[in-house]
């Protein structure tokens, strides 16, 4: 496994769990607002091959 794969997977899992927690009744939204930016910033670059290299052409590209 690549060195960043485990960190990437763990951080994505934590972001998903935080999103689920935020949707619960009685969730501490102050906690969610404080933690979510830190988790998002700490997300390492995705491992090679996680996302396709060639995607659709977006408006304004390829001119």
């Amino acid at each position: 496994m690549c060195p960043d794969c485990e960190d990437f997977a763990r951080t994505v899992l934590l972001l998903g769990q935080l999103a689920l927690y935020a949707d619960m009744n009685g969730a501490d939204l102050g906690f969610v607002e404080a933690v979510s930016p830190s988790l998002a910033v700490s997300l390492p670059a995705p491992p090679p091959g996680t996302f396709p290299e060639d995607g659709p052409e977006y408006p304004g590209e390829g001119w």
Side-chain angles (χ1 to χ4, degrees), residues 16-34:
Q17 289 175 335
L18 186 63
L20 290 173
Y21 171 72
D23 284 339
M24 291 176 51
N25 287 335
D28 182 354
L29 297 180
F31 171 77
V32 173
E33 289 178 15

Side-chain angles (χ1 to χ4, degrees), residues 4-56:
D4 292 333
C5 292
E6 187 177 340
D7 289 340
F8 182 79
R10 184 181 306 118
T11 305
V12 169
L13 177 67
L14 287 171
L15 282 167
Q17 289 175 335
L18 186 63
L20 290 173
Y21 171 72
D23 284 339
M24 291 176 51
N25 287 335
D28 182 354
L29 297 180
F31 171 77
V32 173
E33 289 178 15
V35 172
S36 58
S38 299
L39 274 176
V41 168
S42 71
L43 191 63
T50 302
F51 300 108
E53 297 293 323
D54 56 338

